Amino acid sequence: MTHRSAAASLSALALALVAPAAPALADNHAATTTAPQATADLPTLVSQVTIPYQQFELANGLTVLVHEDRKAPIVNVTVWYNVGSKDEPEGKTGFAHLFEHLMFNGSENAPDDYFKYLAEMGATDYNGTTWFDRTNYFQTVPRPALERALWLESDRMGYLLGAVTQGKLDNQRGVVQNEKRQGDNEPGGLVFYDVLKTLFPDGHPYQHEAIGSMADLDSASMEDVKAWFTDNYGPNNATLVIAGDISAAEAKPLVEKYFGSIKRGPVNDPAQADVPTLKEPVRKTFKDQVAATSVTRYWAVEGITGKDRIALDVGASILGGLASSRLDNVLVRDEQLAVSVSAGNSAFHRIGILQVEATAKAGVDLAVLEKRMDEVVAKLIAEGPTEDEVRRAVTSNLARTIRGLEQVGGFTGKAQTLAEGEVLAGDPAFYSREFEALSKLTPADVKAALGRWMTRPAMTVVLEPGARDATYEEAASVAAEGENASERDRAAETITVSVERPKPPIDTIAQLDFPDVQRAVLANGMKVTYARRTAVPATYVAMAFNAGGAADPEGKTGLDGLTLSLFDEGTKNLTSQQIAEAGERLGASISVGGGDDRSTFTLSALTANLAPSLDLMRQIMREPAFNPDDLERVRNQTITGLRQAMKSPQGIAQLTMTPELFGSTSPYGRVPTVESVSSITRDDLIAHKDRWIRPDNGEVFVISDKPLAEIVTALNAAFGDWTPPATPKGTKQFADNAGTNGNRIILVNRPNSPQSFIYGAQITPLDAGDPAFVAFGSANKSLGGDFLARLNMNLRETKGWSYGVRGGAQARENAVVYSISGGVQADRTGDSLAEMLRETKEFLTTKGVTAEELERNVAADVGSLPGRFETSPAVLGAMQSNALFGRPDNYQETLASIYTAQTPASLDAIARASIDADKFVWVVVGDASVVRAQLEPLGLPIEQREMEGE
């Protein structure tokens, strides 16, 4: 199984090693056979967590933070507004989030959808989010586009209201309601509403989710929306962070130029909120489309600046967050009462929510599981954690942060870290205070914090398999007859411009400087592909083997996945618990996973601990034990996961589609079943390992701040003497795809679904290693490839029937599939599929790529290249893809010239040669009693299936 954020303590304590009961599959190696020990100390790691910044404030109150990072010609622009759902008055739930959507729909001087302007800039890592405490917007742009990004953010901050129309409001109301349906439609999707209502009393700011209620969204008026903007979106209620290829001296005049004239507004005093305690324990039971019963305890605790918050974070990690956690060790590994466990502390501005969860193994009495879970919790509260547990949890946190410091933007990069500290804690360097506290944390601190909070009455939620309550709060538009209430007529909209603010030009193009790729060969003949990145002291090693799901033998589908899951569950000398603890001490994460074509072991290590981290990787890869008890435990987890996939809309669609496309006998067409996974034996695992996971069937990819020569030395120490077994190497047999014909619908009945999931797919003649694949991707940006593509702009931004629809190519080594998918409101399922078909047919015949689309998409594709490969994991993935598809080492640097040479005619030609609107197989997952009558007028054959089945 993949480790849960494995990384941890630097304690020098030795492990008491317990050899697995079953014979180990060992090879002879002179290296250590015990758990590797860390060579870096905790203070050294803490010293590596730093985000230097300069701060200034404009006369209008805008707080500005600038962080300089010259590793790439990119800059992140982030704005945090000091307002979230906790600040919404009664009857206006969902307003902060609804307004976040409206702020993407254009401002007075940028009247089109903001995604158009983001594309013109070549932006990456862009989004906007709303949560209890804040609303934020962020984008990473090439350095030459920085002024454009500042112009764009300042226009929606200061000059928005003239562009807000009733049509936009009605449309985004529908989009948000479909976002709500999409979350509600997931198994267990309705539970958290009740959790908040129970933990927090009436009138408490945290009693409702940011998505709001259908009724409150229905009631939102133009007057409400404008008042919300005026009250909450002034510059003196915002923090701007600029992080990347820029200094504070360069940034300040630009910020003054674009934001300085915006008038002050009211300052939101964030809603005060006490941390409530339940008067007595509360227990509620829910039924839903879940594969196994779970039990979860919830407590309301202190917020982000609370004195116990960090101790609670660490306590939750020790309890159920680390791969070596106590609940994992007792409930999952030792006693096998649960298939999964978790614990975590979510810290918000005023409050936090601490939770502990266990999902029962099939046949286990819930009362027995619950009793043991409570006993594990009680023991930790009574005795406290060990010093080693605390150090492992702390190092886990530090290691993740160090690796994350490579990214300036995104959801968790340096810009967001500074903004969060300023807005929620009044200190951009709050992260530094947190790590200072972490480094001094003691077991007594954790024990005391757990005792103060986890001994209070808890809310218990039991979620068990069964039919969901059929009642569902729908939007008024669903019950109304007549026209679509959320449809937007852009031609009828009138925009008032209060101040003319010309769009600044983008005069130059930032060039991608992809790292130079170097090559070497290990002593055993394994090829090494290497690139050096020095932004953070981290090393990434991926060993990829030509296996994957396509290597599964017929009748044993799921063998590759199950085998990979067992590698880190025990070795010749280490139990799974000891493997987890060793990784945490080293600050290392070793993930094991596979796709259709490759099986990959990936190490993320702190470079200071590289040698012992590689030795741990060696033991996992070369000495797996495949213990019978571990096999049965992981098999149960796999089967539960498979059964859960059969309950979720996307999982049902994927499992249904795959054999229809390729045929059930194709290596790509086989899907794991409960029967196939149940039939796999330990001998099957050993045979699979010997045929596929071997040095003559794999290659090594490395990104590191250390030079190649040092990396090769370290790799040879761990793997240089690894030789293939006598067993013949595995081979795959790909015949012509034997899937069935398209132009038909498979309707999978999923009762009580407020939304339907539509998934259409076909096999294309494309080859992912051919230049035509790039051209097809460019052509598809007009049809389905991004937010601005026709499918999404129609079904989301015009009709308001969906939260999002996309179309895209999925590349395999021996096949490329094109698919269209999205969730749509149940009462518009037939209309939505009709629109998908119409848009596709028109794109492939009379309405091909336009000159405007081409210009925008070329700008986006070329401009985004530096941002796409900002981080080491992104470069590592690119190198692996180049190898898989036979691309040259400089492939990424050739893309700009390929994009700029494209024409509408050349893109139309490749699109029309690659896909056919009449060859889609359509899978629709929804409530057949609602959906079938809508689909019949389309004139396509409909095969209805039920969800049941293994």
Side-chain angles (χ1 to χ4, degrees):
M1 63 189 292
T2 300
H3 286 200
R4 281 209 305 272
S5 303
S9 160
L10 304 173
S11 167
L13 296 176
L15 291 173
L17 302 178
V18 180
L25 307 176
D27 55 12
N28 294 320
H29 185 81
T32 176
T33 57
T34 60
Q37 297 299 310
T39 56
D41 58 30
L42 194 56
T44 298
L45 295 183
V46 171
S47 71
Q48 294 173 356
V49 183
T50 177
I51 312 174
Y53 68 92
Q54 293 190 43
Q55 181 172 357
F56 58 90
E57 184 176 302
L58 300 190
N60 59 13
L62 177 66
T63 298
V64 185
L65 307 170
V66 182
H67 166 68
E68 187 173 349
D69 180 342
R70 301 288 188 178
K71 72 174 179 296
I74 56 175
V75 183
N76 176 266
V77 176
T78 288
V79 180
W80 273 47
Y81 290 95
N82 181 27
V83 63
S85 63
K86 77 170 184 295
D87 303 301
E88 296 163 341
E90 186 178 357
K92 307 296 182 187
T93 64
F95 264 50
H97 177 245
L98 176 61
F99 207 85
E100 173 221 310
H101 279 244
L102 286 170
M103 286 184 74
F104 275 107
N105 271 162
S107 54
E108 293 175 13
N109 294 282
D112 294 323
D113 286 281
Y114 264 41
F115 294 98
K116 173 184 175 181
Y117 303 103
L118 292 168
E120 292 172 351
M121 292 186 289
T124 54
D125 292 330
Y126 54 80
N127 213 321
T129 71
T130 307
W131 201 209
F132 291 120
D133 305 309
R134 87 297 179 268
T135 304
N136 63 3
Y137 303 89
F138 50 91
Q139 57 265 301
T140 298
V141 299
R143 178 61 177 83
L146 174 59
E147 281 203 59
R148 180 75 64 83
L150 294 174
W151 166 80
L152 194 64
E153 283 294 353
S154 62
D155 210 61
R156 65 173 157 192
M157 179 185 287
Y159 309 96
L160 183 84
L161 289 184
V164 177
T165 66
Q166 187 66 48
K168 289 180 181 180
L169 173 58
D170 292 341
N171 172 257
Q172 288 305 308
R173 187 200 329 270
V175 171
V176 169
Q177 288 173 332
N178 272 298
E179 181 180 359
K180 176 176 166 58
R181 292 184 188 101
Q182 184 167 301
D184 294 350
N185 200 34
E186 289 298 317
L190 300 177
V191 171
F192 199 62
Y193 298 114
D194 215 285
V195 171
L196 293 178
K197 289 178 181 178
T198 302
L199 288 180
F200 304 107
D202 290 346
H204 196 282
Y206 288 87
Q207 202 195 34
H208 65 273
E209 281 210 68
I211 198 73
S213 73
M214 291 290 194
D216 286 356
L217 290 168
D218 280 335
S219 72
S221 68
M222 281 290 287
E223 291 73 20
D224 293 330
V225 165
K226 290 183 177 182
W228 182 262
F229 175 76
T230 301
D231 289 344
N232 295 294
Y233 285 83
N236 48 327
N237 201 48
T239 295
L240 168 67
V241 183
I242 303 173
D245 188 17
I246 190 169
S247 66
E250 294 169 310
K252 189 169 184 178
L254 296 177
V255 175
E256 289 277 9
K257 178 180 178 180
Y258 291 104
F259 290 86
S261 62
I262 302 173
K263 295 179 180 179
R264 280 179 173 265
V267 174
N268 175 48
D269 181 17
Q272 299 297 318
D274 293 332
V275 180
T277 298
L278 294 175
K279 294 180 180 179
E280 59 185 6
V282 176
R283 185 181 186 89
K284 295 192 176 184
T285 299
F286 301 86
K287 294 182 183 294
D288 209 339
Q289 302 281 1
V290 293
T293 299
S294 64
V295 57
T296 310
R297 304 258 198 269
Y298 294 93
W299 295 264
V301 297
E302 289 180 326
I304 193 169
T305 59
K307 65 181 181 65
D308 285 335
R309 198 270 294 178
I310 288 176
L312 289 174
D313 287 351
V314 171
S317 292
I318 292 167
L319 188 58
L322 297 173
S324 68
S325 77
R326 292 195 177 192
L327 289 173
D328 267 299
N329 199 34
V330 174
L331 301 185
V332 179
R333 293 188 182 100
D334 288 353
E335 299 178 16
Q336 297 192 27
L337 300 174
V339 292
S340 66
V341 295
S342 67
N345 182 37
S346 301
F348 304 106
H349 190 188
R350 306 295 193 197
I351 58 94
I353 298 175
L354 180 65
Q355 67 182 71
V356 178
E357 179 176 350
T359 300
K361 177 182 173 182
V364 169
D365 186 341
L366 183 64
V368 174
L369 171 62
E370 219 172 330
K371 180 175 182 292
R372 286 299 286 131
M373 182 177 80
D374 288 342
E375 289 171 350
V376 173
V377 172
K379 182 177 181 180
L380 181 60
I381 293 171
E383 301 176 1
T386 66
E387 176 70 22
D388 185 51
E389 285 176 316
V390 173
R391 294 304 94 192
R392 285 190 280 112
V394 169
T395 307
S396 172
N397 195 324
L398 280 167
R400 285 196 306 271
T401 302
I402 289 170
R403 288 190 284 264
L405 288 179
E406 192 175 13
Q407 188 174 23
V408 293
F411 284 94
T412 57
K414 291 186 280 190
Q416 301 298 327
T417 300
L418 293 174
E420 180 181 55
E422 172 63 22
V423 174
L424 300 187
D427 180 6
F430 181 64
Y431 74 92
S432 181
R433 288 162 43 196
E434 290 181 297
F435 286 118
E436 180 75 12
L438 276 169
S439 68
K440 297 177 180 178
L441 195 69
T442 67
D445 295 332
V446 176
K447 177 178 182 292
L450 295 179
R452 269 190 289 273
W453 295 98
M454 295 188 75
T455 55
R456 302 183 183 197
M459 179 191 184
T460 299
V461 169
V462 175
L463 181 62
E464 58 188 26
R468 175 187 284 190
D469 186 339
T471 60
Y472 179 74
E473 181 207 20
E474 257 299 359
S477 59
V478 171
E481 298 291 335
E483 296 181 0
N484 176 22
S486 56
E487 183 146 7
R488 180 179 168 191
D489 182 0
R490 286 174 171 78
E493 294 175 357
T494 301
I495 291 176
T496 302
V497 179
S498 58
V499 178
E500 294 280 354
R501 306 175 75 240
K503 179 169 63 175
I506 301 175
D507 295 325
T508 59
I509 298 174
Q511 300 297 317
L512 169 67
D513 182 15
F514 196 80
D516 293 335
V517 173
Q518 301 178 57
R519 297 188 181 279
V521 179
L522 298 186
N524 65 351
M526 291 189 78
K527 296 178 180 178
V528 178
T529 302
Y530 162 91
R532 190 170 189 184
R533 297 291 294 265
T534 59
V536 293
T539 296
Y540 299 83
V541 178
M543 289 198 175
F545 299 87
N546 185 3
D552 287 344
E554 195 165 357
K556 299 286 185 179
T557 309
L559 174 59
D560 185 71
L562 189 61
T563 304
L564 293 179
S565 296
L566 267 297
F567 271 90
D568 60 1
E569 292 293 342
T571 70
K572 181 177 69 171
N573 292 289
L574 300 175
T575 65
S576 58
Q577 178 73 11
Q578 292 165 345
I579 290 172
E581 291 179 0
E584 290 158 6
R585 289 191 182 90
L586 294 167
S589 168
I590 301 174
S591 61
V592 187
D596 286 319
D597 299 303
R598 294 293 184 269
S599 301
T600 306
F601 298 74
T602 303
L603 165 68
S604 301
L606 300 171
T607 300
N609 289 333
L610 179 59
S613 298
L614 280 171
D615 190 57
L616 180 61
M617 186 181 192
R618 174 194 67 80
Q619 294 186 60
I620 289 171
M621 291 180 61
R622 297 176 59 178
E623 301 174 354
F626 295 154
N627 293 310
D629 285 349
D630 291 331
L631 169 58
E632 293 313 309
R633 171 171 55 82
V634 175
R635 188 201 310 277
N636 277 318
Q637 293 172 321
T638 302
I639 289 173
T640 301
L642 182 59
R643 284 177 168 146
Q644 188 56 57
M646 297 173 185
K647 304 289 186 181
S648 74
Q650 293 87 344
I652 294 169
Q654 187 67 55
L655 290 169
T656 302
M657 179 67 76
T658 299
E660 296 294 331
L661 275 184
F662 293 104
S664 59
T665 60
S666 165
Y668 288 154
R670 303 172 191 144
V671 296
T673 64
V674 171
E675 180 182 10
S676 68
V677 173
S678 299
S679 73
I680 295 170
T681 66
R682 183 174 184 271
D683 288 342
D684 293 329
L685 303 179
I686 296 170
H688 188 81
K689 169 191 174 293
D690 288 344
R691 293 188 68 204
W692 300 97
I693 310 302
R694 46 194 284 160
D696 59 347
N697 193 44
E699 53 186 320
V700 187
F701 303 87
V702 182
I703 304 287
S704 180
D705 61 323
K706 293 295 184 182
L708 176 60
E710 293 184 29
I711 294 298
V712 170
T713 298
L715 286 169
N716 271 326
F719 295 97
D721 61 349
W722 186 23
T723 57
T727 307
K729 185 167 65 173
T731 59
K732 304 172 189 176
Q733 299 296 323
F734 285 93
D736 291 337
N737 294 309
T740 52
N741 294 329
N743 218 29
R744 61 196 177 91
I745 298 170
I746 301 171
L747 172 59
V748 183
N749 183 28
R750 187 174 185 269
N752 299 327
S753 295
Q755 200 176 62
S756 301
F757 186 75
I758 300 176
Y759 180 33
Q762 62 181 277
I763 298 173
T764 76
L766 292 165
D767 182 333
D770 190 89
F773 181 76
V774 179
F776 178 79
S778 297
N780 179 58
K781 292 193 80 169
S782 295
L783 177 61
D786 61 22
F787 187 95
L788 295 167
R790 298 176 192 181
L791 289 168
N792 189 68
M793 291 299 290
N794 179 355
L795 290 168
R796 170 178 164 139
E797 294 296 292
T798 298
K799 304 293 187 186
W801 296 339
S802 175
Y803 180 52
V805 175
R806 293 292 189 273
Q810 294 85 50
R812 296 170 174 83
E813 188 173 21
N814 295 286
V816 174
V817 170
Y818 181 77
S819 66
I820 293 171
S821 64
V824 300
Q825 64 190 63
D827 65 318
R828 293 291 185 173
T829 304
D831 294 336
S832 297
L833 181 51
E835 287 297 299
M836 292 177 182
L837 288 165
R838 180 186 64 78
E839 290 280 11
T840 305
K841 289 176 180 178
E842 290 181 354
F843 174 70
L844 295 174
T845 53
T846 60
K847 295 182 179 180
V849 177
T850 67
E852 179 186 359
E853 289 172 330
L854 177 63
E855 180 181 8
R856 181 184 71 223
N857 292 337
V858 169
D861 288 336
V862 174
S864 66
L865 287 171
R868 283 172 55 191
F869 302 105
E870 176 193 4
T871 66
S872 294
V875 174
L876 185 70
M879 293 195 310
Q880 291 175 262
S881 293
N882 289 347
L884 177 62
F885 298 122
R887 298 166 177 164
D889 288 342
N890 69 338
Y891 171 77
Q892 281 68 29
E893 291 185 334
T894 69
L895 289 173
S897 60
I898 293 174
Y899 294 139
T900 55
Q902 292 168 346
T903 66
S906 68
L907 297 185
D908 285 345
I910 189 63
R912 291 166 187 175
S914 301
I915 58 174
D916 185 334
D918 292 329
K919 290 186 177 179
F920 283 101
V921 175
W922 296 98
V923 175
V924 179
V925 182
D927 189 330
S929 67
V930 175
V931 168
R932 177 155 190 147
Q934 300 176 47
L935 297 175
E936 288 172 346
L938 298 176
L940 299 179
I942 300 173
E943 176 191 352
Q944 184 172 325
R945 301 179 185 177
E946 299 302 315
M947 281 201 311
E948 288 77 23
E950 299 282 82

